[in-house]
Each structure stands twice: as C-alpha cells, then as structure tokens.
Amino acid sequence: MDIIIISSLTYHRQRTILSTALLVVLSQSVRSIFLRLRSKYWTKRVRVLWKWIWGRFNNGCWSRSPRFYLPHAADATNKGATNPQQQSKPKRNLLDIVLENYDLDKWPTFHEDDGDGNVTGEPTVNTVWVDVMFISSINVEAMDLTIDMYLNQKWNDKRLKFSKSVSRRRLHLKTVDQMRRIWSPDTYIVNAKQANFHHITTENRVVYISGNGDVFYSARITAKIACEMKFHSFPMDNQECMLHLASYAYTVDILQMIWLPEGPVSYKQDMDLNQFHLTNVSTSVTCVDMYPDGIVKLV
C-alpha cells in the first residue's frame, strides 16, 4: 500500500510541473503573436489618437475627452415605457370591482326616493336553514342544551351583480374583514345563554357571492340554548326545546326572515342523546316581538 501511494504522489507532481511549463510556453507564444500583429496593423492615426487621449488623462483634462453613454439598468428595464400613462395599471381584485360605489349602510332592497322625497324600500328576504351536527349535552337541572350547528343564510343583493366578462366564478369571502365590507343580516339566537364561533384552525365562516347577486353565508356555531322543561309526567315526559332566531336591529319593514321551504333543519337520525331521544323537528314563523322602535319577527 505504501508503494502505491508514493507512486501516485510522484505522478501528480510531474503532471503539475509539465502543465506549468506548457502554460509558460503558450503565454510567451501568444505575447509574441500579439506584438507582431500590433506592429503590422498599428497605424499612424491610431498612435496619434492614443497620444492625445493619454495626454488629456495625464493633464487632468479628462472631462474634455469624448464622452460615451452607458445605459443604466433601469433605462433598459423601462425601455419603451417613457410615458407613465402607457404603463399598465395594477390589477384590482374581484371584490374591489364588485364593491365599487357600494353603500354598506343601505339594505339590498333600499330605494332612495319614491318621487315625493320619501325614503322607501321593500324588506329584504333572508332564507335560513340549520344543519345540526350534534347535541353535546342536555342539562335538566340548568334547563339548557348545547348544540353544535351550521347556521346558513341566503339573500339577494342586486348591487353585488357582476357579468361573466368580469369573472366566471363566484366571489369567495373567507376573512371577517372581507365579510364586513358587504351588508348582511344581523341574525342572533334569542334564547342562547352563550354562543361562540369557531376559529381553529381557520375562521369557520364563509360567504359566496354569485354573479346574479345571490349571497350565501354559512357559519359554525356552538350555543347553549335555554329550554324550559316540564317534568309532570317524569320519567315518561316529553320536552320541547325551541331555537329562536331573529334580527337584532332590523324591523320587518327592512328584513324578513323565512325558513328554507325544503329541509330547513337537518340532523343525524341516530344521534346519541344519552337518556333522551330526538323524535321530531318542526319550524314556525309565528312569533313576533314588539321592540320600542318597531316589530321584529322570530323564526
């Protein structure tokens, strides 16, 4: 093994020496060729011009020498775009295009003037339906139940219409800041002791806007609902718990809430409720509460 290593090192050293000697010979040959060409083609005019430039440089008068323009990198990038009006404008997103001249303070069916100077408008119809995921607990002592559900709403806002030339897809709003830029019903749960939205791992709310102005809103909510229970026939009693939805501030002349005609409430048929059984689900729009500033309809 020692002999092989020494032989290898000696070989590489000889190769390095040979390469260095060859490089020196080549560089001398190139230099001699260059000198021959220079003496042959170096004319008198070129020599005179070179002496003039060299003299200017040595005398500190280089500023009087011929000037050469080297284009800047920015000039090469902006070539052909000298006029600012010709430069392309930044592309706006679809939401900004749709919300141009949009008034958030007016409901979708608001009319500015009826001809006599009076502000008029029809109530906006908000269709509601609920998808119950599960009922986690029923507390007979506190008389409440906890429900996890999707609250779905749909209405039409003609101000949000856009043509297929603008976009062939529906507008998708995922953040709360985007949702707050459009008008939406102020739906709340009247008989909720407490309720909250879900935020993990993202905001569990979404809004879709179609080209015809239809707005679909869906949110996942967990709410503890108050339920007045009666135990006169215990343990063979039947309890009826209500889920009251209403508009918090809009009266019936501004917002009208209705249930979805088909399947307003969906739930799992085999839902495990411990000691209870879910036997029937019904909906109604018969309760109307009187507020100091008007009438609010409950669903």
Side-chain angles (χ1 to χ4, degrees):
M1 294 294 291
D2 295 340
I3 295 175
I4 296 175
I5 294 176
I6 293 173
S7 175
S8 178
L9 290 175
T10 305
Y11 169 76
H12 283 293
R13 184 179 180 185
Q14 292 176 353
R15 186 175 63 178
T16 304
I17 295 172
L18 291 175
S19 299
T20 305
L22 181 61
L23 180 61
V24 172
V25 172
L26 289 176
S27 61
Q28 292 178 353
S29 301
V30 171
R31 184 173 180 273
S32 62
I33 295 172
F34 175 75
L35 292 175
R36 291 177 183 177
L37 292 175
R38 191 184 69 170
S39 61
K40 184 177 181 180
Y41 296 101
W42 197 261
T43 61
K44 183 177 180 180
R45 292 183 180 180
V46 175
R47 290 179 180 179
V48 172
L49 178 61
W50 172 251
K51 288 182 180 180
W52 179 82
I53 294 175
W54 185 254
R56 292 292 182 180
F57 179 79
N58 291 334
N59 296 331
C61 300
W62 183 253
S63 59
R64 298 181 181 179
S65 62
R67 297 181 181 181
F68 301 92
Y69 173 74
L70 295 178
H72 194 269
D75 298 337
T77 305
N78 298 329
K79 185 178 180 180
T82 56
N83 189 358
Q85 297 181 354
Q86 296 179 356
Q87 298 180 3
S88 59
K89 297 181 180 180
K91 186 177 180 181
R92 295 190 303 168
N93 58 46
L94 181 57
L95 181 59
D96 292 334
I97 297 175
V98 173
L99 294 182
E100 189 174 1
N101 301 323
Y102 186 86
D103 192 348
L104 184 62
D105 296 329
K106 300 177 182 178
W107 68 93
T109 52
F110 175 87
H111 298 292
E112 191 71 34
D113 192 351
D114 61 353
D116 297 331
N118 300 320
V119 176
T120 62
E122 301 174 355
T124 299
V125 179
N126 180 31
T127 304
V128 183
W129 68 99
V130 175
D131 298 324
V132 179
M133 298 181 63
F134 53 85
I135 299 175
S136 59
S137 65
I138 300 178
N139 192 334
V140 295
E141 296 180 357
M143 292 190 179
D144 58 38
L145 60 89
T146 303
I147 180 173
D148 196 307
M149 63 180 179
Y150 289 103
L151 176 61
N152 308 304
Q153 304 177 81
K154 185 177 181 180
W155 66 93
N156 183 270
D157 192 341
K158 295 181 179 180
R159 301 171 298 174
L160 298 177
K161 284 185 176 181
F162 57 90
S163 61
K164 292 183 178 180
S165 60
V166 176
S167 177
R168 292 184 176 273
R169 60 179 177 86
R170 60 181 180 178
L171 183 56
H172 183 195
L173 309 184
K174 295 187 296 183
T175 65
V176 178
D177 292 337
Q178 290 177 334
M179 298 176 190
R180 289 175 177 172
R181 297 180 64 183
I182 67 170
W183 182 94
S184 60
D186 57 346
T187 306
Y188 80 110
I189 304 174
V190 178
N191 58 329
K193 291 184 176 181
Q194 64 182 33
N196 62 276
F197 292 102
H198 290 255
H199 310 281
I200 306 298
T201 59
T202 184
E203 194 73 34
N204 291 188
R205 281 184 275 183
V206 67
V207 171
Y208 291 110
I209 303 177
S210 302
N212 60 354
D214 286 341
V215 183
F216 169 74
Y217 171 90
S218 180
R220 183 183 176 186
I221 300 174
T222 297
K224 183 178 288 187
I225 308 299
C227 178
E228 185 177 354
M229 301 182 183
K230 300 177 181 179
F231 302 98
H232 301 293
S233 303
F234 182 84
M236 304 300 296
D237 53 312
N238 294 323
Q239 305 298 337
E240 184 176 351
C241 297
M242 305 295 294
L243 175 65
H244 292 298
L245 300 176
S247 170
Y248 188 81
Y250 296 125
T251 54
V252 293
D253 57 340
I254 297 178
L255 179 64
Q256 181 180 357
M257 301 177 64
I258 62 173
W259 287 107
L260 187 70
E262 298 181 1
V265 180
S266 63
Y267 61 95
K268 295 181 180 179
Q269 298 293 336
D270 56 347
M271 189 179 301
D272 186 9
L273 302 178
N274 198 0
Q275 299 178 356
F276 293 86
H277 298 280
L278 186 59
T279 58
N280 185 29
V281 174
S282 60
T283 59
S284 63
V285 195
T286 56
C287 181
V288 177
D289 278 1
M290 295 296 298
Y291 276 70
D293 56 348
I295 303 175
V296 176
K297 184 174 293 185
L298 302 179
V299 297

